[in-house]
Amino acid sequence: MMSATTNHTKDTKRELPQGWRWVKLGEVCEVNPRRPQIKCADEKPTSFVPMEAVDAITGTIAELRTRSYGEVKKGYTWFVENDVLFAKITPCMQNGKHAIVRGLIDGFGFGTTEFHVLRPKQGMIAEWIWHYLRQPTFLIDATEEFTGSVGQQRLPEDYLKSHEIPLPPLAEQQRIAGILKEQMTAVDKARVAAEARLEAAKALPTAYLREVFPRPSQPLSTGWKWTLLGTMLAETKNGFGRRPQPGEDGPIVLRLADVSKGVIDLSNPRRGMMSDKEIETYGLRSGDILFVRVNGSAEIVGRSIIVGTDYPQLVFNDHLIRVRLSDKLLPEYLRVYCDAPSARQHFMNSASTSAGQLTINRESLDSMPLPLPPLSEQHRVVKMLGVKFTVAEMARAAAEQELAAINALPAALLRRAFSGGL
């Protein structure tokens, strides 16, 4: 590794290792070079790179596509082998849609107009430009230079041309690029493994539920029996149908947004004027279960929460269904069963669809097959699953922390590379 020099190229620049210098990108590469005359038959297969073909995580072209030359010769960005493609539009730029193009048919290709093209000049390798531009610090700073309207903002070409980067001699660029390739390959392998562990941890709760709750066609353990949920329901009630007039002294009207996190969240309450009879009819008691009745997502319809305390001044709107149970069914048991694959499948099969919204009704609940054990067994099942869910959550949190640490490695490696630390 080269030793650091005491000279600064500018007061605002950090000191660089001996032999390195600060250069403008526009001095060491062509930015958006002009396309020459190309003699090519319109039907000739030609390499094509749309934005979605670039993998934002690895910064590589995941799929080099092919189109006829006649399709792409006008209205697209031209590039040649070994050019660096840099996404200039938000959010693709911040997300890391930047890649070196290689393996092009006849050595050239075309892509979306949302790419800037950087072509290394003599003494500069593509990997040095590519690694530098993929640094999170560079991408964050570049967002400050966006121009255009919100949602269609782009990084101007002049910013790239005038931006200064540290440049070592060619041999040093190649040496560092080789080290980075090895290290990034190791990081990619670690990321894939960590992502697999995270997905496995996320799948644990469903696996536990599948172990406990059989499908309707499967036999039950001794003492269990199949019944319909409707036989266990003391009352089923749709929510308040009209939107009440706002009123500071009225009850809180519970909405889907207030239960979306699996608990009743009253941090942003909406109150409305209602009669005493309406408050009594739509009020909530401890032990009530609220089901999501209508939503555009299949993952949300049929989800439920248990009301943990009495809410005499809280009513619920018609996006929800309130259920009160007989004394033969624990609310906690029904709550965990409704997340089991067999219960989720029942809700999807019984839901109606209109205007992109899925809807379940009281009949959906009444007709749901329910594996019912004695109350003592219900208590045991709820306690056992609670322990397993806690373990699964710990595994998920650990996997997420591991993945976050791995995802932070590339930025740390690049910082070392461009400060002469490799």
Side-chain angles (χ1 to χ4, degrees):
M1 187 62 59
M2 297 181 178
S3 61
T5 180
T6 57
N7 295 326
H8 291 267
T9 54
K10 284 187 179 181
D11 291 340
T12 56
K13 294 288 188 299
R14 68 178 186 274
E15 61 180 286
L16 295 175
Q18 185 178 355
W20 292 40
R21 58 194 176 99
W22 289 101
V23 295
K24 293 181 179 179
L25 269 172
E27 297 171 353
V28 292
C29 64
E30 295 180 73
V31 180
N32 297 324
R34 296 185 62 181
R35 184 177 72 178
Q37 291 291 329
I38 300 175
K39 293 182 179 181
C40 186
D42 282 353
E43 64 274 13
K44 181 76 167 58
T46 304
S47 298
F48 184 75
V49 181
M51 187 66 73
E52 61 268 21
V54 179
D55 187 307
I57 300 297
T58 62
T60 58
I61 297 173
E63 181 186 6
L64 191 59
R65 301 181 185 177
T66 301
R67 291 192 184 180
S68 68
Y69 178 72
E71 289 183 89
V72 298
K73 65 181 180 180
K74 294 182 179 179
Y76 291 101
T77 297
W78 168 77
F79 43 79
V80 300
E81 192 83 4
N82 212 45
D83 281 351
V84 178
L85 302 183
F86 183 84
K88 60 185 175 183
I89 191 169
T90 185
C92 298
M93 189 204 78
Q94 303 97 305
N95 291 346
K97 293 269 191 173
H98 321 297
I100 301 172
V101 283
R102 291 190 173 120
L104 302 174
I105 298 172
D106 296 329
F108 70 89
F110 295 85
T112 171
T113 57
E114 300 300 351
F115 285 132
H116 284 308
V117 177
L118 296 95
R119 182 168 301 158
K121 295 181 180 179
Q122 187 173 4
M124 166 73 78
I125 62 172
E127 284 80 4
W128 192 258
I129 302 171
W130 174 66
H131 280 306
Y132 185 87
L133 298 181
R134 282 179 56 77
Q135 293 183 101
T137 50
F138 173 83
L139 297 175
I140 291 171
D141 290 344
T143 60
E144 301 296 323
E145 305 298 324
F146 275 147
T147 60
S149 59
V150 175
Q152 291 292 314
Q153 292 182 311
R154 296 172 175 85
L155 185 69
E157 174 184 310
D158 287 345
Y159 179 77
L160 290 177
K161 288 181 175 180
S162 61
H163 189 84
E164 292 187 287
I165 70 169
L167 182 69
L170 180 60
E172 183 71 351
Q173 294 177 48
Q174 294 168 333
R175 185 189 70 82
I176 293 173
I179 294 173
L180 283 174
K181 182 177 181 179
E182 292 180 1
Q183 293 179 333
M184 294 299 185
T185 298
V187 169
D188 288 341
K189 290 180 179 179
R191 180 189 296 111
V192 170
E195 288 173 342
R197 285 189 286 272
L198 177 57
E199 290 306 308
K202 288 179 177 179
L204 282 175
T206 299
Y208 294 147
L209 289 167
R210 188 176 285 112
E211 289 176 357
V212 173
F213 299 116
R215 295 187 178 276
S217 60
Q218 295 175 324
L220 295 173
S221 301
T222 303
W224 292 50
K225 65 178 181 179
W226 282 108
T227 187
L228 295 180
L229 178 57
T231 64
M232 297 289 106
L233 303 183
E235 179 190 292
T236 309
K237 182 70 176 176
N238 283 356
F240 191 67
R242 66 176 177 83
R243 185 169 182 174
Q245 292 294 320
E248 294 183 0
D249 297 328
I252 296 172
V253 182
L254 198 65
R255 303 155 295 163
L256 179 58
D258 301 321
V259 299
S260 61
K261 297 179 181 179
V263 294
I264 294 178
D265 180 5
L266 302 181
S267 60
N268 186 28
R270 178 177 293 173
R271 296 182 179 273
M273 299 303 297
M274 299 176 66
S275 68
D276 291 342
K277 179 63 175 176
E278 289 171 331
I279 294 173
E280 180 182 356
T281 301
Y282 297 99
L284 296 174
R285 303 176 192 166
S286 178
D288 286 348
I289 300 182
L290 291 171
F291 285 84
V292 177
R293 187 182 70 86
V294 57
N295 195 265
S297 171
E299 292 296 315
I300 295 177
V301 168
R303 295 296 184 187
S304 60
I305 67 165
I306 298 175
V307 178
T309 187
D310 290 340
Y311 288 98
Q313 288 294 307
L314 180 66
V315 301
F316 59 104
N317 73 8
D318 64 351
H319 281 76
L320 303 167
I321 300 177
R322 183 191 67 199
V323 164
R324 288 176 178 162
L325 306 180
S326 74
D327 58 6
K328 296 181 180 179
L329 182 59
L330 288 179
E332 294 82 4
Y333 178 83
L334 178 59
R335 170 68 184 82
V336 293
Y337 175 68
C338 285
D339 282 340
S342 55
R344 295 301 306 159
Q345 188 62 53
H346 171 80
F347 286 132
M348 292 307 96
N349 292 343
S350 61
S352 60
T353 305
S354 178
Q357 297 287 301
L358 292 169
T359 303
I360 62 170
N361 52 30
R362 286 180 288 181
E363 288 72 24
S364 300
L365 295 171
D366 289 343
S367 63
M368 184 169 74
L370 175 70
L372 184 67
L375 277 173
S376 60
E377 182 69 357
Q378 293 178 42
H379 281 288
R380 187 195 69 80
V381 167
V382 169
K383 183 177 180 180
M384 178 266 294
L385 285 175
V387 172
K388 289 193 171 185
F389 290 163
T390 298
V391 172
E393 176 60 22
M394 292 172 63
R396 183 198 60 78
E400 287 182 341
Q401 290 178 354
E402 179 190 19
L403 185 58
I406 291 170
N407 286 337
L409 284 175
L413 292 172
L414 292 174
R415 282 195 300 271
R416 290 186 62 195
F418 290 101
S419 61
L422 289 184

